[in-house]
Amino acid sequence: MTSKHLGCLTPPGGDHSVWWFTTDGGAFAGWYVNLERHVVRTDGDLAGIDAVDQELDGWVAPDRVWHWKDEESFAAKTGDPAFWSADEALAVRAEGERLRSLAEAGAPPFDGTWCDWRPDPSWALPTLPSGSLDAPPALPLTRPSGTPEHAAG
């Protein structure tokens, strides 16, 4: 079964995003939980969020059963100075476990809200401003407190 991305929630202050997916036929397929560290929110013409993926993710089926994804590659990168320390890995997994608890309890954002939302078919696909893919992602010049050393820009 293939699926289509329906929408994404990236909460301020959260180290994750939650993505809604549908089947090609339009039925709700589940939630993808991407564990990530948000580096900076940008404004202006290129408004968005720069994030650092933390490899470990979760898939939540419509019946709210949680499945871990990418555990082997997460473990392989743990302790590598280019990625995250063992202590940081514990924090990443703790964020995943927190979201797993929300999912299994049917708490927001896993409460069924937005699962039947579909964009108006008359909406045009947005276009990026000219040159927007030419610019590197915005990274802070100094490392925010509590972030790994390798994240410094």
Side-chain angles (χ1 to χ4, degrees):
M1 171 184 71
T2 59
S3 59
K4 295 180 181 181
H5 172 246
L6 181 60
C8 177
L9 170 68
T10 306
D15 282 329
H16 67 276
S17 58
V18 178
W19 302 60
W20 281 251
F21 279 86
T22 64
T23 65
D24 282 338
F28 178 65
W31 297 270
Y32 186 84
V33 178
N34 193 55
L35 298 172
E36 57 196 32
R37 185 174 41 78
H38 300 136
V39 177
V40 69
R41 286 180 180 262
T42 57
D43 294 319
D45 290 342
L46 301 176
I49 299 169
D50 288 336
V52 176
D53 185 64
Q54 295 178 313
E55 196 70 23
L56 186 63
D57 299 311
W59 174 257
V60 182
D63 62 0
R64 295 183 180 82
V65 172
W66 178 278
H67 304 276
W68 286 107
K69 294 184 55 51
D70 305 319
E71 286 186 285
E72 288 180 17
S73 56
F74 177 71
K77 292 176 180 174
T78 297
D80 182 325
F83 295 98
W84 41 81
S85 69
D87 287 342
E88 291 165 331
L90 291 173
V92 171
R93 185 166 294 271
E95 177 74 350
E97 289 293 348
R98 186 181 73 78
L99 290 157
R100 179 183 186 163
S101 295
L102 292 176
E104 290 173 348
F110 308 101
D111 59 354
T113 303
W114 298 105
C115 293
D116 59 354
W117 180 85
R118 302 296 180 273
D120 185 319
S122 69
W123 291 354
L125 288 175
T127 57
L128 292 172
S130 176
S132 61
L133 297 178
D134 299 335
L139 291 174
L141 296 177
T142 58
R143 189 177 68 162
S145 65
T147 59
E149 189 171 315
H150 66 274

CSV table of all heavy atoms in Angstrom, one decimal, residues 71-118:
chain,number,residue,atom,x,y,z
A,71,GLU,N,15.3,1.9,14.5
A,71,GLU,CA,16.0,1.7,15.8
A,71,GLU,C,17.5,1.3,15.6
A,71,GLU,O,18.4,1.7,16.3
A,71,GLU,CB,15.3,0.6,16.6
A,71,GLU,CG,14.0,1.2,17.2
A,71,GLU,CD,13.4,0.2,18.2
A,71,GLU,OE1,12.8,-0.8,17.7
A,71,GLU,OE2,13.5,0.4,19.4
A,72,GLU,N,17.8,0.5,14.6
A,72,GLU,CA,19.1,0.0,14.3
A,72,GLU,C,20.1,1.2,13.9
A,72,GLU,O,21.2,1.3,14.4
A,72,GLU,CB,19.2,-1.1,13.3
A,72,GLU,CG,18.6,-2.4,13.8
A,72,GLU,CD,18.7,-3.5,12.8
A,72,GLU,OE1,19.4,-3.4,11.8
A,72,GLU,OE2,18.0,-4.5,13.0
A,73,SER,N,19.6,2.0,13.0
A,73,SER,CA,20.4,3.1,12.6
A,73,SER,C,20.6,4.2,13.7
A,73,SER,O,21.6,4.8,13.8
A,73,SER,CB,19.9,3.7,11.3
A,73,SER,OG,18.6,4.2,11.4
A,74,PHE,N,19.5,4.3,14.5
A,74,PHE,CA,19.6,5.3,15.6
A,74,PHE,C,20.7,4.8,16.6
A,74,PHE,O,21.6,5.5,17.0
A,74,PHE,CB,18.3,5.3,16.3
A,74,PHE,CG,18.3,6.2,17.6
A,74,PHE,CD1,18.4,7.6,17.5
A,74,PHE,CD2,18.1,5.6,18.8
A,74,PHE,CE1,18.3,8.4,18.6
A,74,PHE,CE2,18.1,6.4,20.0
A,74,PHE,CZ,18.2,7.8,19.9
A,75,ALA,N,20.7,3.5,16.9
A,75,ALA,CA,21.7,2.9,17.8
A,75,ALA,C,23.1,3.0,17.2
A,75,ALA,O,24.0,3.3,18.0
A,75,ALA,CB,21.3,1.4,18.1
A,76,ALA,N,23.2,2.8,15.9
A,76,ALA,CA,24.5,2.8,15.3
A,76,ALA,C,25.1,4.3,15.4
A,76,ALA,O,26.3,4.4,15.4
A,76,ALA,CB,24.4,2.4,13.9
A,77,LYS,N,24.3,5.3,15.3
A,77,LYS,CA,24.8,6.7,15.3
A,77,LYS,C,25.0,7.2,16.8
A,77,LYS,O,25.7,8.2,16.9
A,77,LYS,CB,23.8,7.6,14.6
A,77,LYS,CG,23.8,7.2,13.1
A,77,LYS,CD,22.8,8.0,12.3
A,77,LYS,CE,22.8,7.7,10.8
A,77,LYS,NZ,21.8,8.3,10.1
A,78,THR,N,24.4,6.5,17.7
A,78,THR,CA,24.6,7.0,19.1
A,78,THR,C,26.0,6.8,19.6
A,78,THR,O,26.6,5.8,19.4
A,78,THR,CB,23.6,6.2,20.0
A,78,THR,OG1,22.3,6.4,19.6
A,78,THR,CG2,23.8,6.5,21.5
A,79,GLY,N,26.5,7.9,20.1
A,79,GLY,CA,27.9,7.9,20.6
A,79,GLY,C,28.9,8.5,19.5
A,79,GLY,O,30.0,8.8,19.8
A,80,ASP,N,28.4,8.6,18.3
A,80,ASP,CA,29.3,9.1,17.2
A,80,ASP,C,29.2,10.7,17.4
A,80,ASP,O,28.2,11.3,17.4
A,80,ASP,CB,28.7,8.7,15.8
A,80,ASP,CG,29.5,9.2,14.7
A,80,ASP,OD1,30.1,10.3,14.7
A,80,ASP,OD2,29.5,8.5,13.6
A,81,PRO,N,30.4,11.3,17.5
A,81,PRO,CA,30.4,12.8,17.7
A,81,PRO,C,29.7,13.6,16.6
A,81,PRO,O,29.3,14.7,16.8
A,81,PRO,CB,31.9,13.1,17.7
A,81,PRO,CG,32.6,11.9,17.7
A,81,PRO,CD,31.7,10.7,17.4
A,82,ALA,N,29.5,13.0,15.4
A,82,ALA,CA,28.8,13.7,14.4
A,82,ALA,C,27.2,13.7,14.6
A,82,ALA,O,26.5,14.3,13.9
A,82,ALA,CB,29.1,13.1,13.0
A,83,PHE,N,26.8,12.9,15.5
A,83,PHE,CA,25.3,12.7,15.7
A,83,PHE,C,24.9,13.1,17.2
A,83,PHE,O,24.6,14.2,17.4
A,83,PHE,CB,24.9,11.3,15.3
A,83,PHE,CG,25.1,11.1,13.9
A,83,PHE,CD1,26.2,10.4,13.4
A,83,PHE,CD2,24.2,11.6,12.9
A,83,PHE,CE1,26.4,10.2,12.0
A,83,PHE,CE2,24.3,11.4,11.6
A,83,PHE,CZ,25.5,10.7,11.1
A,84,TRP,N,24.9,12.1,18.1
A,84,TRP,CA,24.4,12.4,19.4
A,84,TRP,C,25.1,11.5,20.4
A,84,TRP,O,25.5,10.4,20.1
A,84,TRP,CB,22.9,12.3,19.5
A,84,TRP,CG,22.3,11.1,18.8
A,84,TRP,CD1,22.3,9.8,19.2
A,84,TRP,CD2,21.8,11.1,17.5
A,84,TRP,NE1,21.8,9.0,18.2
A,84,TRP,CE2,21.4,9.8,17.1
A,84,TRP,CE3,21.6,12.1,16.5
A,84,TRP,CZ2,20.9,9.5,15.9
A,84,TRP,CZ3,21.0,11.8,15.3
A,84,TRP,CH2,20.7,10.5,15.0
A,85,SER,N,25.2,12.0,21.7
A,85,SER,CA,25.8,11.2,22.7
A,85,SER,C,24.7,10.2,23.3
A,85,SER,O,23.5,10.2,22.9
A,85,SER,CB,26.2,12.1,23.9
A,85,SER,OG,25.0,12.6,24.5
A,86,ALA,N,25.2,9.3,24.1
A,86,ALA,CA,24.3,8.3,24.8
A,86,ALA,C,23.2,9.0,25.6
A,86,ALA,O,22.1,8.6,25.6
A,86,ALA,CB,25.1,7.3,25.6
A,87,ASP,N,23.6,10.1,26.3
A,87,ASP,CA,22.7,10.9,27.1
A,87,ASP,C,21.6,11.5,26.2
A,87,ASP,O,20.4,11.6,26.5
A,87,ASP,CB,23.4,11.9,27.9
A,87,ASP,CG,24.1,11.3,29.1
A,87,ASP,OD1,23.8,10.2,29.5
A,87,ASP,OD2,25.0,12.0,29.7
A,88,GLU,N,22.1,12.1,25.1
A,88,GLU,CA,21.1,12.7,24.1
A,88,GLU,C,20.2,11.7,23.5
A,88,GLU,O,19.0,11.9,23.3
A,88,GLU,CB,21.9,13.5,23.0
A,88,GLU,CG,22.6,14.7,23.5
A,88,GLU,CD,23.7,15.2,22.6
A,88,GLU,OE1,24.2,14.4,21.8
A,88,GLU,OE2,23.9,16.4,22.6
A,89,ALA,N,20.7,10.5,23.3
A,89,ALA,CA,19.9,9.4,22.7
A,89,ALA,C,18.8,9.0,23.7
A,89,ALA,O,17.6,8.8,23.3
A,89,ALA,CB,20.7,8.2,22.4
A,90,LEU,N,19.1,9.0,25.0
A,90,LEU,CA,18.1,8.8,26.0
A,90,LEU,C,17.0,9.8,26.0
A,90,LEU,O,15.8,9.5,26.1
A,90,LEU,CB,18.7,8.7,27.4
A,90,LEU,CG,19.6,7.5,27.7
A,90,LEU,CD1,20.3,7.7,29.1
A,90,LEU,CD2,18.8,6.2,27.7
A,91,ALA,N,17.3,11.1,25.8
A,91,ALA,CA,16.3,12.2,25.7
A,91,ALA,C,15.5,12.0,24.4
A,91,ALA,O,14.3,12.2,24.5
A,91,ALA,CB,17.0,13.5,25.7
A,92,VAL,N,16.1,11.6,23.3
A,92,VAL,CA,15.3,11.4,22.1
A,92,VAL,C,14.3,10.3,22.3
A,92,VAL,O,13.1,10.4,22.0
A,92,VAL,CB,16.3,11.0,20.9
A,92,VAL,CG1,15.5,10.6,19.7
A,92,VAL,CG2,17.1,12.2,20.6
A,93,ARG,N,14.8,9.1,22.8
A,93,ARG,CA,13.8,8.0,23.1
A,93,ARG,C,12.8,8.4,24.1
A,93,ARG,O,11.6,8.0,23.9
A,93,ARG,CB,14.6,6.8,23.6
A,93,ARG,CG,13.6,5.6,23.7
A,93,ARG,CD,14.2,4.3,23.8
A,93,ARG,NE,15.0,3.8,22.7
A,93,ARG,CZ,14.5,3.1,21.7
A,93,ARG,NH1,13.2,2.8,21.6
A,93,ARG,NH2,15.3,2.7,20.7
A,94,ALA,N,13.1,9.2,25.1
A,94,ALA,CA,12.1,9.7,26.1
A,94,ALA,C,11.0,10.5,25.4
A,94,ALA,O,9.8,10.4,25.7
A,94,ALA,CB,12.7,10.5,27.2
A,95,GLU,N,11.4,11.3,24.4
A,95,GLU,CA,10.4,12.1,23.7
A,95,GLU,C,9.5,11.2,22.9
A,95,GLU,O,8.3,11.3,22.8
A,95,GLU,CB,11.1,13.1,22.7
A,95,GLU,CG,10.2,13.9,21.9
A,95,GLU,CD,9.4,15.0,22.6
A,95,GLU,OE1,9.4,15.1,23.8
A,95,GLU,OE2,8.7,15.8,21.9
A,96,GLY,N,10.1,10.1,22.3
A,96,GLY,CA,9.3,9.1,21.5
A,96,GLY,C,8.4,8.4,22.5
A,96,GLY,O,7.2,8.2,22.1
A,97,GLU,N,8.8,8.0,23.7
A,97,GLU,CA,8.0,7.3,24.6
A,97,GLU,C,6.8,8.2,25.1
A,97,GLU,O,5.7,7.7,25.3
A,97,GLU,CB,8.8,6.8,25.8
A,97,GLU,CG,9.7,5.6,25.5
A,97,GLU,CD,9.0,4.3,25.1
A,97,GLU,OE1,7.7,4.2,25.4
A,97,GLU,OE2,9.6,3.4,24.6
A,98,ARG,N,7.1,9.5,25.3
A,98,ARG,CA,6.0,10.4,25.7
A,98,ARG,C,5.0,10.5,24.6
A,98,ARG,O,3.8,10.4,24.9
A,98,ARG,CB,6.7,11.8,25.9
A,98,ARG,CG,5.7,12.9,26.4
A,98,ARG,CD,6.4,14.2,26.6
A,98,ARG,NE,6.6,14.9,25.3
A,98,ARG,CZ,5.7,15.5,24.6
A,98,ARG,NH1,4.4,15.5,25.0
A,98,ARG,NH2,6.0,16.1,23.4
A,99,LEU,N,5.4,10.5,23.3
A,99,LEU,CA,4.4,10.6,22.2
A,99,LEU,C,3.7,9.2,22.1
A,99,LEU,O,2.5,9.2,21.8
A,99,LEU,CB,5.1,11.0,20.9
A,99,LEU,CG,5.5,12.5,21.0
A,99,LEU,CD1,6.6,12.7,20.0
A,99,LEU,CD2,4.3,13.3,20.7
A,100,ARG,N,4.4,8.2,22.3
A,100,ARG,CA,3.8,6.8,22.3
A,100,ARG,C,2.6,6.8,23.3
A,100,ARG,O,1.6,6.3,23.0
A,100,ARG,CB,4.8,5.8,22.6
A,100,ARG,CG,4.3,4.4,22.6
A,100,ARG,CD,5.4,3.4,23.0
A,100,ARG,NE,4.9,2.0,22.9
A,100,ARG,CZ,5.7,1.0,22.8
A,100,ARG,NH1,7.0,1.1,22.8
A,100,ARG,NH2,5.2,-0.2,22.7
A,101,SER,N,2.9,7.3,24.5
A,101,SER,CA,1.8,7.3,25.6
A,101,SER,C,0.6,8.1,25.1
A,101,SER,O,-0.5,7.7,25.3
A,101,SER,CB,2.4,7.9,26.9
A,101,SER,OG,3.4,7.0,27.4
A,102,LEU,N,0.9,9.3,24.5
A,102,LEU,CA,-0.2,10.1,24.0
A,102,LEU,C,-1.0,9.3,22.9
A,102,LEU,O,-2.2,9.3,22.9
A,102,LEU,CB,0.3,11.4,23.4
A,102,LEU,CG,0.9,12.4,24.3
A,102,LEU,CD1,1.5,13.6,23.6
A,102,LEU,CD2,-0.1,12.9,25.3
A,103,ALA,N,-0.3,8.7,22.0
A,103,ALA,CA,-1.0,7.9,20.9
A,103,ALA,C,-1.8,6.8,21.5
A,103,ALA,O,-3.0,6.7,21.1
A,103,ALA,CB,0.1,7.4,20.0
A,104,GLU,N,-1.2,6.0,22.4
A,104,GLU,CA,-2.0,4.9,22.9
A,104,GLU,C,-3.2,5.3,23.8
A,104,GLU,O,-4.2,4.6,23.8
A,104,GLU,CB,-1.0,4.0,23.8
A,104,GLU,CG,0.0,3.3,22.8
A,104,GLU,CD,1.0,2.5,23.6
A,104,GLU,OE1,1.2,2.7,24.8
A,104,GLU,OE2,1.8,1.7,22.9
A,105,ALA,N,-3.1,6.5,24.3
A,105,ALA,CA,-4.3,7.1,25.1
A,105,ALA,C,-5.3,7.8,24.2
A,105,ALA,O,-6.4,8.1,24.7
A,105,ALA,CB,-3.7,8.0,26.2
A,106,GLY,N,-5.0,8.0,22.9
A,106,GLY,CA,-5.9,8.7,22.0
A,106,GLY,C,-5.9,10.2,22.3
A,106,GLY,O,-6.9,10.8,22.0
A,107,ALA,N,-4.8,10.7,22.9
A,107,ALA,CA,-4.8,12.1,23.3
A,107,ALA,C,-4.3,12.9,22.1
A,107,ALA,O,-3.6,12.3,21.2
A,107,ALA,CB,-3.8,12.3,24.5
A,108,PRO,N,-4.6,14.2,22.0
A,108,PRO,CA,-4.1,15.0,20.9
A,108,PRO,C,-2.6,14.9,20.8
A,108,PRO,O,-1.9,14.9,21.8
A,108,PRO,CB,-4.5,16.4,21.3
A,108,PRO,CG,-5.7,16.2,22.2
A,108,PRO,CD,-5.4,15.0,23.0
A,109,PRO,N,-2.1,14.9,19.6
A,109,PRO,CA,-2.7,15.0,18.3
A,109,PRO,C,-3.2,13.7,17.7
A,109,PRO,O,-3.6,13.6,16.5
A,109,PRO,CB,-1.6,15.6,17.4
A,109,PRO,CG,-0.4,15.0,18.0
A,109,PRO,CD,-0.6,14.8,19.5
A,110,PHE,N,-3.3,12.6,18.5
A,110,PHE,CA,-3.7,11.3,18.1
A,110,PHE,C,-5.1,11.0,18.4
A,110,PHE,O,-5.5,9.8,18.6
A,110,PHE,CB,-2.8,10.2,18.7
A,110,PHE,CG,-1.3,10.5,18.5
A,110,PHE,CD1,-0.5,11.1,19.5
A,110,PHE,CD2,-0.7,10.3,17.2
A,110,PHE,CE1,0.8,11.3,19.3
A,110,PHE,CE2,0.6,10.6,17.0
A,110,PHE,CZ,1.4,11.1,18.0
A,111,ASP,N,-6.0,12.0,18.6
A,111,ASP,CA,-7.4,11.9,19.0
A,111,ASP,C,-8.3,11.7,17.8
A,111,ASP,O,-9.5,11.7,18.0
A,111,ASP,CB,-7.8,13.0,19.9
A,111,ASP,CG,-7.7,14.4,19.2
A,111,ASP,OD1,-7.1,14.4,18.1
A,111,ASP,OD2,-8.1,15.4,19.8
A,112,GLY,N,-7.8,11.7,16.6
A,112,GLY,CA,-8.7,11.5,15.4
A,112,GLY,C,-9.0,12.9,14.8
A,112,GLY,O,-9.5,12.9,13.6
A,113,THR,N,-8.6,14.0,15.4
A,113,THR,CA,-8.8,15.3,14.8
A,113,THR,C,-7.9,15.4,13.5
A,113,THR,O,-6.8,14.9,13.5
A,113,THR,CB,-8.3,16.4,15.8
A,113,THR,OG1,-9.1,16.2,17.0
A,113,THR,CG2,-8.6,17.8,15.2
A,114,TRP,N,-8.5,15.9,12.5
A,114,TRP,CA,-7.9,16.1,11.2
A,114,TRP,C,-7.7,14.9,10.3
A,114,TRP,O,-7.3,14.9,9.2
A,114,TRP,CB,-6.5,16.8,11.3
A,114,TRP,CG,-6.6,18.1,12.0
A,114,TRP,CD1,-6.2,18.5,13.3
A,114,TRP,CD2,-7.1,19.3,11.4
A,114,TRP,NE1,-6.5,19.8,13.5
A,114,TRP,CE2,-7.0,20.3,12.4
A,114,TRP,CE3,-7.6,19.7,10.1
A,114,TRP,CZ2,-7.4,21.7,12.1
A,114,TRP,CZ3,-8.0,21.0,9.9
A,114,TRP,CH2,-7.9,21.9,10.9
A,115,CYS,N,-8.1,13.7,10.8
A,115,CYS,CA,-8.0,12.5,10.1
A,115,CYS,C,-8.9,12.4,8.8
A,115,CYS,O,-8.6,11.7,7.9
A,115,CYS,CB,-8.2,11.2,10.9
A,115,CYS,SG,-6.9,11.1,12.2
A,116,ASP,N,-10.0,13.2,8.9
A,116,ASP,CA,-10.8,13.2,7.7
A,116,ASP,C,-10.8,14.5,6.9
A,116,ASP,O,-11.5,14.6,5.9
A,116,ASP,CB,-12.3,12.9,8.1
A,116,ASP,CG,-12.8,13.9,9.1
A,116,ASP,OD1,-12.1,14.8,9.6
A,116,ASP,OD2,-14.0,13.8,9.5
A,117,TRP,N,-9.9,15.4,7.3
A,117,TRP,CA,-9.7,16.6,6.6
A,117,TRP,C,-9.0,16.3,5.2
A,117,TRP,O,-8.1,15.5,5.1
A,117,TRP,CB,-8.8,17.6,7.4
A,117,TRP,CG,-8.6,18.9,6.6
A,117,TRP,CD1,-9.4,20.0,6.6
A,117,TRP,CD2,-7.5,19.2,5.8
A,117,TRP,NE1,-8.9,21.0,5.8
A,117,TRP,CE2,-7.7,20.5,5.3
A,117,TRP,CE3,-6.4,18.5,5.4
A,117,TRP,CZ2,-6.8,21.2,4.5
A,117,TRP,CZ3,-5.5,19.2,4.6
A,117,TRP,CH2,-5.7,20.5,4.1
A,118,ARG,N,-9.5,17.0,4.2
A,118,ARG,CA,-8.9,16.9,2.9
A,118,ARG,C,-8.8,18.3,2.3
A,118,ARG,O,-9.8,19.1,2.5
A,118,ARG,CB,-9.7,16.0,1.9
A,118,ARG,CG,-9.8,14.6,2.4
A,118,ARG,CD,-8.5,13.9,2.5
A,118,ARG,NE,-8.6,12.5,3.0
A,118,ARG,CZ,-8.7,12.1,4.2
A,118,ARG,NH1,-8.6,13.0,5.2
A,118,ARG,NH2,-8.8,10.8,4.5
